[in-house]
């Protein structure tokens, strides 16, 4: 259990992350607050979910919320749902009793980033908070990579980490793109600086800009205090823009300027703030298709995809499945104070034969569920609850982009970057070659014909601004594509 006496021996970290502790037990709340403050966190506290919501209305500039589950009229689950609705940029960790572990697993599916089971040691608290609050020096373990393609990918990731370039990581949902991003950060010269992650798909469009760039007091309704954005919080370190393909085109233009100028201006502010941030972006979509359809800016795509990486789906790297399962099982067994739990041989075979449509995220859920259903020391195939008839879609590679590289390096680079054992062919044309330009031209022309030449309606149908449409038409004209409409 966390206690104030132990908290005094915690080694301070270089961290300015703010954490809100919500706990109705005054002794435990004091111990939690003391432990975090002695580790150099800025800590706010609340004795109930209701008080926490009042505090957030006054000041929502927190990197993380740590909340007990069983409290008064509103539970930790109620607080989680409210935070997800009103403050989706703030991750939340739940503290639970052993008896309600299954509920905590369900809560993680609803949006909690992690959970702690009472009683827990101070190190467990600091480890969880460090991983989710963007604290400096909070290193993570090396990803599992038994498959040859995974080993090649990690080898390339280590090379990428030594550069200062932006990185684009693509792959299906649940493949572990954030894990790879953290690994790149940990292997870089920025490892002792903050790693800050933000899910662009989880934050409403009208809040994402302020979350990224920060805001001054009074910049918009509800901005009662000034607050730094994620770029400022990550200064000196790494910023992960998760699911960047979901970002609005208008905000993409502002993001591009920040990346180019290496400075940011808060909403409602008048001065620029110099930045030294390495940006890693992830997407589970075909980015080239999004560019052609006008949903993603071509210039931003090229800015991000200097060094693209792809985590293959779990079904394409079966050698990683059992080691991953054992690692996840051990992690959750420690949290649940279960001691050593192992997988039987029949469980190994069932795991390897399953197609894993949800990838590593699904595997993590299965391991948690198996621990709940099986109180013993051995997890067998029947405890996994896998169905051989599970439906999933065979998705194409998201990273079959052409690259212009030197002939001597192209084969090796493309093999490593795609995670495939067979070298990919390299087209000597630019990344978005003539075929892609032709398709973009056809889409714009067909849309213009459908709306009888109205460029305003064309821009609306394509989901881009009129200015972007004018730019695209002018660029196509310069390259010999004439609309004549």
């Amino acid at each position: 259990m966390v206690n104030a006496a132990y908290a005094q021996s915690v080694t301070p970290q270089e961290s300015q992350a703010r954490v809100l502790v919500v706990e109705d037990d005054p002794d435990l709340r004091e111990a939690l607050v003391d432990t975090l403050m002695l580790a150099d966190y800025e800590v706010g506290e609340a004795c109930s979910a209701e008080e926490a919501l009042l505090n957030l209305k006054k000041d929502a500039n927190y990197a993380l919320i740590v909340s007990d589950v069983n409290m008064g009229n509103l539970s930790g689950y109620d607080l989680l749902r409210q935070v997800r609705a009103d403050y989706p940029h703030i991750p939340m960790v739940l503290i639970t009793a052993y008896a309600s572990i299954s509920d905590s697993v369900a809560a993680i599916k609803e949006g909690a980033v992690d959970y702690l089971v009472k009683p827990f040691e101070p190190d467990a608290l600091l480890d969880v908070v460090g991983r989710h609050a963007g604290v400096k020096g909070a290193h993570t373990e090396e990803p599992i990579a038994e498959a040859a393609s995974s080993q090649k990918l990690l080898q390339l990731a280590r090379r990428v980490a030594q550069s200062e370039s932006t990185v684009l990581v693509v792959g299906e949902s649940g493949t572990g793109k954030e894990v790879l991003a953290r690994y790149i950060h940990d292997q870089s010269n920025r490892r002792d600086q903050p790693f800050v992650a933000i899910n662009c798909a989880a934050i409403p469009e009208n809040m994402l800009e302020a979350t990224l760039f920060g805001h001054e007091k009074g910049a918009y309704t509800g901005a009662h205090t000034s607050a730094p954005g994620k770029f400022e919080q990550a200064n000196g370190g790494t910023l992960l823009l998760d699911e960047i393909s979901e970002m609005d085109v208008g905000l993409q233009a502002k993001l591009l300027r920040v990346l180019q100028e290496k400075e940011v201006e808060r909403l409602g502010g008048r001065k620029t703030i110099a930045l030294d941030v390495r940006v890693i972006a992830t997407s589970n979509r075909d980015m080239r298709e999004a560019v052609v359809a006008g949903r993603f800016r071509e210039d931003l795509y090229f800015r991000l995809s200097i060094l693209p990486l792809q985590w293959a789906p779990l079904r394409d790297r079966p050698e990683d499945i059992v080691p991953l399962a054992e690692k996840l099982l051990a992690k959750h067994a420690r949290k649940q104070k279960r001691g050593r739990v192992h997988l039987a041989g029949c469980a190994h075979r069932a795991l390897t034969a399953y197609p894993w449509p949800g990838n590593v995220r699904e595997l993590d859920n299965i391991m948690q569920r198996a621990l709940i259903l099986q109180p013993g020391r051995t997890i067998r195939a029947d405890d996994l609850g896998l169905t051989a008839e599970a439906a999933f879609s065979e998705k194409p590679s998201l990273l079959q982009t052409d690259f212009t590289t030197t002939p001597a390096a192209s084969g090796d680079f493309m093999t490593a970057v795609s995670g495939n054992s067979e070298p990919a062919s390299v087209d000597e044309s630019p990344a978005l070659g003539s075929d892609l330009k032709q398709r973009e031209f056809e889409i714009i022309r067909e849309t213009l014909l459908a709306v009888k030449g109205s460029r305003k309606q064309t821009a609306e149908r394509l989901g881009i601004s009129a200015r972007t449409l004018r730019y695209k038409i002018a660029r196509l004209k310069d390259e010999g594509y004439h609309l004549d409409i």
Side-chain angles (χ1 to χ4, degrees), residues 379-396:
I379 304 295
R380 303 185 63 81
D382 292 344
D383 301 321
L384 300 174
L386 302 176
T387 56
E389 296 80 17
F392 70 100
S393 60
E394 283 281 0
K395 299 178 182 178

Side-chain angles (χ1 to χ4, degrees), residues 165-183:
S165 175
T166 54
V167 181
L168 177 64
V169 181
V170 297
E172 293 179 14
S173 294
T175 50
K177 297 186 291 294
E178 181 171 345
V179 173
L180 185 60
R182 285 180 179 270
Y183 179 71

Side-chain angles (χ1 to χ4, degrees), residues 17-51:
R18 299 183 70 222
V19 180
L20 177 61
V21 173
V22 188
E23 170 61 65
D24 59 350
D25 182 327
D27 292 334
L28 179 55
R29 185 173 68 251
E30 181 181 4
L32 293 169
V33 170
D34 287 349
T35 299
L36 292 171
M37 289 183 68
L38 287 170
D40 203 31
Y41 289 93
E42 293 183 40
V43 186
E45 56 183 295
C47 64
S48 66
E50 292 89 340
E51 183 180 350

Side-chain angles (χ1 to χ4, degrees), residues 441 445 473 476-485:
F441 166 73
R445 189 173 187 279
I473 290 174
L476 287 168
K477 184 177 179 181
D478 290 341
E479 295 177 3
Y481 295 91
H482 297 283
L483 291 166
D484 298 326
I485 295 176

